[in-house]
Amino acid sequence: MTTHLPSWNDTPTKANILAFVRDVTDPNGSRFVPVAERIAVFDNDGTLWCERPIYAQFAFAFDLLAEKARQDPDLQHQQPYRAALAGDMEWLHGYLSNSTLPAFIDMVLKATAGATQSEYELRATAWLKETSHPHFGVPYTRLVYRPMVELLAYLQQHAFQLFICSGGGMDFVRLFSEEIYNIPRQNVIGSNMVLTWEERETGPQLVRQPGLVEPFNDGPGKPVNIQLHVGRPPILTGGNSNGDLQMMEFAAANGAPHLNLLLRHDDADREYTYDRSAERIQQIAAARQWTQISMKRDFKRVFADDIDRG
Amino acid sequence: MTTHLPSWNDTPTKANILAFVRDVTDPNGSRFVPVAERIAVFDNDGTLWCERPIYAQFAFAFDLLAEKARQDPDLQHQQPYRAALAGDMEWLHGYLSNSTLPAFIDMVLKATAGATQSEYELRATAWLKETSHPHFGVPYTRLVYRPMVELLAYLQQHAFQLFICSGGGMDFVRLFSEEIYNIPRQNVIGSNMVLTWEERETGPQLVRQPGLVEPFNDGPGKPVNIQLHVGRPPILTGGNSNGDLQMMEFAAANGAPHLNLLLRHDDADREYTYDRSAERIQQIAAARQWTQISMKRDFKRVFADDIDRG
């Protein structure tokens, strides 16, 4: 049918996307949107790349906790340090819930507090390079969904300005956004540690503090932070879980043309099958006729060929 | 000597700027900087446009306070409402100091709290259109320094990515940054009211709250917020007062090529003469050999011709 988006099957989902982009870029059409307003915003974990068994950033944090436990034997018999030392991500996946998450995040924040921003970036960059995903056996940065990366490029060709809006750490995602998504650092929105500008021996530096900047970039924090970073609502969003609901409402709020894309993980053969943390937004998306992407039905390929072949 | 930057006199200041841009864009030179890292950050008030007798945003706030006083006769005999009703900006200029500023800002925040973000934007846009500067008699948006606007365009031609980093309200500056500086909304960094995502009769909306987001975008808050919005240090900065010091230190911190430009207001005939709030940074700039722009010496023109002619 078309040469656009070759890793997508020719389903109504793909047709919806192509029709929307055609409409908003047609200067003679009734749904035309000027370039300055063509803002597209995508969640990262589970929307642009794989988030299972745990977020890549939590795997990094887990390794930082393991390192701490190696230096402090008292910690080695306590959780989550014991699991971290064993690299037991299934334990962490089972352990994390709405009630345990704040304490875990607090622990993770403390693990990099006191470091300068440059020290953190060097450390996280090295980790991303040397660490493989426990199931797929390749670096996390290779586990991007190929159809979604094609979609990003297709939108850029149509003068959309792309932003990532991740619940994860802004400075973590920025370390690879240019390389794997062609999205510059300044177009990454996420959650943040408090930074301060402090005098160090070598001169003043940005230093990481053990606290979070409000609002955390999830749920109602997403439209607030999109306003902070972009200054206008998106006309296209991509997400996969309840935390993306308000971001999608933001796109829909002023009655202008918009397209909300909700990705569903329903492909156990090629990725994972799960609806956890997505039940509510799936219901709302169905009721409001937002476009739902089925990985199984709509993705001709999921990852790069060597990963898809297993 | 050159056809670049025609509103600049051919002084060492201009030569410094041209030499820096030539060096960092020469792929065979030792000071070459890749496009992704060509970040230039400019303060707004007093650096890109006129900030006297008071900041445009304070003039707007003053009009909001006057409106409040018209609705509440009890306020009409209290300051700053009495001065606001009389449009007495000289009074406000004399009144504002480091000790009175927090209370004034608090009053201003409360004046727009409770409004949706869209309501605020409509209101401020109308004010910018209908209000004239008390001395020059033209809208504030026409009081941009022509040599600085030429510099912005010149940097864009050399693939610099431009950001504004203003102590003023981010959402105020965003209303005119695209029109007068060709800098898109998302590249404006500034101070912010707390926003929340709230259910209103017409659906969920961004609503302004009477508090400031930390850090306030001045002094050490500037490098922190540049990191938040850009994710890397600038290599070129422009500023004019003590609040721009840490932003300039950020550019200088890692030993890479950088150019800090400090504008001095020394032209009473064409603009204003003042060093208030700039004494410290002027000393440091001299000691570190940062480039100081003298409005009197370096600007061939200051504003558009009809304004320069008076």
Side-chain angles (χ1 to χ4, degrees), chain B:
Chain B
M1 280 173 68
T2 166
T3 55
H4 299 304
L5 305 179
S7 299
W8 293 70
N9 288 318
D10 286 321
T11 61
T13 307
K14 179 176 177 175
N16 272 3
I17 294 170
L18 295 177
F20 177 78
V21 173
R22 188 187 59 227
D23 286 357
V24 299
T25 57
D26 174 4
N28 300 314
S30 64
R31 285 157 57 84
F32 178 71
V33 176
V35 167
E37 296 170 22
R38 285 184 210 160
I39 306 295
V41 174
F42 290 86
D43 171 59
N44 186 42
D45 293 305
T47 298
L48 297 180
W49 77 352
C50 180
E51 65 179 352
R52 288 290 170 110
I54 58 172
Y55 301 137
Q57 198 183 355
F58 280 0
F60 174 45
F62 220 38
D63 284 350
L64 293 175
L65 296 183
E67 186 174 296
K68 210 172 154 190
R70 277 191 291 271
Q71 291 161 2
D72 182 353
D74 287 351
L75 296 174
Q76 296 180 6
H77 302 286
Q78 297 171 30
Q79 292 291 30
Y81 297 98
R82 195 172 64 191
L85 275 173
D88 188 351
M89 291 190 199
E90 293 299 332
W91 179 89
L92 186 59
H93 178 66
Y95 165 75
L96 289 176
S97 68
N98 285 344
S99 61
T100 59
L101 195 60
F104 181 74
I105 287 178
D106 190 55
M107 207 176 294
V108 171
L109 289 175
K110 284 182 179 134
T112 68
T116 67
Q117 186 62 17
S118 308
E119 288 165 350
Y120 170 81
E121 290 182 9
L122 283 172
R123 182 68 201 281
T125 301
W127 184 89
L128 284 161
K129 201 171 164 187
E130 72 202 14
T131 309
S132 290
H133 185 275
H135 172 68
F136 291 105
V138 297
Y140 286 89
T141 48
R142 289 206 61 215
L143 290 174
V144 294
Y145 304 135
R146 190 161 154 181
M148 297 304 284
V149 173
E150 282 175 8
L151 175 58
L152 299 180
Y154 179 69
L155 293 172
Q156 284 175 326
Q157 286 158 18
H158 290 81
F160 277 74
Q161 300 167 77
L162 307 186
F163 291 81
I164 289 173
C165 187
S166 171
M170 185 186 291
D171 46 15
F172 185 76
V173 179
R174 280 174 167 171
L175 296 175
F176 49 82
S177 66
E178 292 176 338
E179 183 191 332
I180 71 179
Y181 302 131
N182 193 31
I183 294 180
R185 285 188 185 196
Q186 59 262 36
N187 285 23
V188 175
I189 306 166
S191 297
N192 284 288
M193 287 181 76
V194 171
L195 293 177
T196 52
W197 184 244
E198 287 185 16
E199 210 54 56
R200 291 280 173 119
E201 267 179 40
T202 54
Q205 294 285 330
L206 291 167
V207 176
R208 295 165 70 83
Q209 304 297 331
L212 284 171
V213 174
E214 289 292 332
F216 192 78
N217 199 46
D218 197 42
K222 287 200 173 187
V224 169
N225 285 326
I226 291 169
Q227 180 67 27
L228 182 72
H229 284 266
V230 187
R232 43 170 59 102
I235 67 164
L236 188 154
T237 74
N240 81 115
S241 72
N242 295 337
D244 300 315
L245 174 60
Q246 289 82 356
M247 170 176 92
M248 294 188 177
E249 287 181 333
F250 193 25
N254 65 1
H258 62 275
L259 180 68
N260 287 324
L261 300 168
L262 181 68
L263 176 62
R264 185 158 178 200
H265 297 270
D266 57 2
D267 193 333
D269 290 337
R270 296 186 297 177
E271 203 234 14
Y272 294 92
T273 297
Y274 60 96
D275 292 311
R276 178 172 140 176
S277 302
E279 294 88 347
R280 181 158 171 255
I281 196 171
Q282 285 172 7
Q283 283 174 4
I284 291 170
R288 300 190 192 172
Q289 297 181 297
W290 291 343
T291 299
Q292 298 204 49
I293 302 170
S294 154
M295 192 173 272
K296 192 179 180 73
R297 176 194 63 206
D298 297 319
F299 282 5
K300 188 177 290 179
R301 304 173 190 87
V302 175
F303 300 113
D305 287 341
D306 61 311
I307 302 170
D308 275 353
R309 282 193 305 263

Side-chain angles (χ1 to χ4, degrees), chain A:
Chain A
M1 279 175 67
T2 165
T3 55
H4 299 306
L5 305 178
S7 299
W8 293 70
N9 288 318
D10 287 320
T11 60
T13 306
K14 178 176 178 175
N16 271 3
I17 293 170
L18 295 176
F20 177 77
V21 173
R22 189 187 60 226
D23 286 357
V24 299
T25 57
D26 173 5
N28 301 314
S30 63
R31 285 157 57 84
F32 178 71
V33 175
V35 166
E37 296 170 22
R38 284 184 211 160
I39 306 294
V41 174
F42 290 85
D43 172 59
N44 186 43
D45 294 304
T47 298
L48 297 180
W49 78 352
C50 180
E51 65 180 352
R52 288 291 170 110
I54 58 170
Y55 302 137
Q57 197 182 355
F58 281 0
F60 174 45
F62 219 38
D63 284 350
L64 293 176
L65 296 184
E67 185 174 298
K68 211 172 155 190
R70 276 190 291 271
Q71 292 163 1
D72 180 355
D74 286 351
L75 296 175
Q76 295 179 7
H77 302 285
Q78 297 171 30
Q79 291 293 29
Y81 297 97
R82 197 173 64 191
L85 276 172
D88 188 350
M89 290 190 199
E90 293 299 332
W91 179 89
L92 186 60
H93 178 66
Y95 165 75
L96 288 176
S97 67
N98 286 343
S99 61
T100 59
L101 196 59
F104 182 74
I105 288 179
D106 190 54
M107 207 176 295
V108 171
L109 290 175
K110 284 183 178 134
T112 68
T116 67
Q117 187 61 16
S118 308
E119 288 165 351
Y120 170 80
E121 290 182 10
L122 283 172
R123 181 68 201 280
T125 300
W127 183 89
L128 283 160
K129 201 172 165 185
E130 72 203 14
T131 310
S132 289
H133 186 274
H135 172 68
F136 291 106
V138 297
Y140 286 89
T141 49
R142 287 204 62 216
L143 290 173
V144 294
Y145 304 136
R146 189 160 154 181
M148 297 304 285
V149 173
E150 283 176 6
L151 174 58
L152 298 180
Y154 179 71
L155 292 172
Q156 284 176 325
Q157 286 157 20
H158 290 82
F160 277 74
Q161 299 166 78
L162 306 187
F163 291 81
I164 289 174
C165 188
S166 171
M170 184 186 293
D171 46 15
F172 185 76
V173 179
R174 280 175 168 172
L175 296 175
F176 50 82
S177 66
E178 292 177 337
E179 182 191 334
I180 71 179
Y181 302 132
N182 193 31
I183 293 180
R185 285 189 185 196
Q186 60 261 36
N187 285 23
V188 175
I189 307 166
S191 298
N192 284 287
M193 288 181 75
V194 171
L195 293 177
T196 52
W197 184 243
E198 288 184 16
E199 209 55 55
R200 291 279 173 123
E201 268 178 38
T202 54
Q205 294 285 330
L206 290 168
V207 176
R208 296 164 70 83
Q209 304 298 330
L212 283 171
V213 174
E214 289 292 333
F216 192 78
N217 199 46
D218 197 42
K222 287 200 173 187
V224 169
N225 285 327
I226 291 169
Q227 180 66 28
L228 182 72
H229 284 266
V230 187
R232 41 170 61 103
I235 67 164
L236 188 153
T237 74
N240 81 116
S241 72
N242 296 336
D244 300 315
L245 175 60
Q246 289 83 356
M247 170 176 92
M248 294 188 177
E249 288 181 332
F250 193 24
N254 65 1
H258 61 276
L259 180 69
N260 286 326
L261 300 169
L262 182 69
L263 177 62
R264 186 159 177 199
H265 297 270
D266 57 2
D267 193 334
D269 291 336
R270 297 185 297 177
E271 202 232 15
Y272 294 92
T273 298
Y274 60 96
D275 292 312
R276 176 172 140 176
S277 302
E279 294 88 346
R280 181 157 171 256
I281 197 171
Q282 285 173 6
Q283 284 174 4
I284 291 171
R288 301 191 190 170
Q289 298 181 297
W290 292 344
T291 299
Q292 298 203 50
I293 302 170
S294 154
M295 194 174 270
K296 191 179 180 73
R297 177 194 64 207
D298 297 320
F299 283 5
K300 188 176 290 178
R301 304 173 190 89
V302 176
F303 300 113
D305 286 341
D306 61 311
I307 303 170
D308 274 354
R309 279 193 305 264

